[in-house]
Amino acid sequence: MEIEVVRIGQRVVRDDRVTTHVALVARSFGANKIYMNEVNSEIEKTISDINKTWGGNFQIEIISEWKEIIKERKNAGVKIVHLTMYGQNINNVQMKIRNEDKILIVVGAEKVPREIYEMADYNVAVGNQPHSEISALGILLDRIHQGKQFESDFDNPERVIIPQEHGKNVVTNKTTD
Ligand code: SAM
């Protein structure tokens, strides 16, 4: 499945750490791409550096208009999955979402405009209590991949962790010229 994520909301500029973590979770839990607006350019560099060190082809696109991206992806047949505590219980919709070919997951920062609820093909609640876009995204991606995302390797890493019962073991593939 092709999975993209867009983080929307006016608070993004003041939420650099949360935005970075949304992008890190998207990358490491098996999404292909994140769209972000109003972000500090340092975030793009942080994620690019992580791709370089730890591998994979996760993409970042800085956008000016998240509404346009949602409309454009929807017109291209991508299903819009909006994470919101007001949505349907994830337990009841995860099977349907798993069967989609392409999805765009929308996560908010603060108050989300009402029209997103109408544009969404799925409004999905990870419980009906308020918590965090980072946790909601991680749980949705895990329900979609059912843990398999942690079994696949990232392409062309400079560094690879060899899991240990105790301690750390990191193999470096970096070539020096
Ligand atoms: N009251 C806000 C609203 O209008 O949705 C909540 C904002 S919350 C701090 C930021 C984002 O976290 C939300 O936009 C949503 O994407 C995600 N989120 C928080 N709790 C959630 C839940 N129980 N289920 C799904 N997503 C959730």
Side-chain angles (χ1 to χ4, degrees):
M1 189 196 295
E2 189 181 296
I3 304 177
E4 299 176 332
V5 176
V6 60
R7 184 162 193 253
I8 64 170
Q10 299 71 24
R11 225 173 42 173
V12 173
V13 170
R14 284 177 281 141
D15 270 356
D16 284 351
R17 200 172 140 78
V18 176
T19 302
T20 304
H21 285 198
V22 167
L24 289 175
V25 166
R27 175 185 173 276
S28 60
F29 282 55
N32 307 97
K33 177 168 183 170
I34 189 163
Y35 300 95
M36 298 184 291
N37 69 338
E38 299 177 35
V39 296
N40 184 332
S41 57
E42 274 299 304
I43 296 176
E44 197 178 4
K45 185 175 176 325
T46 302
I47 306 300
S48 301
D49 289 349
I50 286 193
N51 278 340
K52 193 164 172 280
T53 306
W54 299 104
N57 304 307
F58 184 72
Q59 293 173 35
I60 308 166
E61 187 175 328
I62 306 298
I63 54 168
S64 48
E65 262 295 332
W66 52 258
K67 221 176 278 181
E68 291 309 313
I69 288 292
I70 296 175
K71 278 188 198 155
E72 186 261 307
R73 302 313 284 142
K74 197 172 168 75
N75 289 339
V78 175
K79 297 294 178 190
I80 310 301
V81 180
H82 172 217
L83 280 166
T84 165
M85 65 180 182
Y86 303 103
Q88 300 181 82
N89 189 323
I90 190 170
N91 294 346
N92 300 331
V93 287
Q94 61 188 16
M95 286 287 277
K96 276 191 185 169
I97 295 173
R98 244 180 247 153
N99 287 327
E100 301 290 359
D101 287 335
K102 294 181 181 182
I103 62 169
L104 175 65
I105 302 172
V106 182
V107 297
E110 51 178 14
K111 195 163 168 52
V112 172
R114 187 162 277 279
E115 60 192 301
I116 300 290
Y117 294 81
E118 303 305 323
M119 290 167 97
D121 297 286
Y122 302 94
N123 286 292
V124 180
V126 181
N128 297 114
Q129 299 294 325
H131 47 89
S132 138
E133 52 271 49
I134 303 169
S135 64
L137 178 62
I139 287 170
L140 174 61
L141 288 172
D142 192 61
R143 293 290 180 94
I144 290 171
H145 293 299
Q146 299 173 270
K148 296 274 190 294
Q149 74 277 29
F150 302 132
E151 290 167 16
S152 52
D153 295 329
F154 283 66
D155 293 339
N156 298 320
E158 285 179 357
R159 312 181 89 198
V160 178
I161 293 171
I162 312 298
Q164 302 294 302
E165 203 170 334
H166 302 286
K168 301 179 189 174
N169 186 0
V170 181
V171 172
T172 303
N173 295 328
K174 199 172 179 177
T175 49
T176 47
D177 14 55

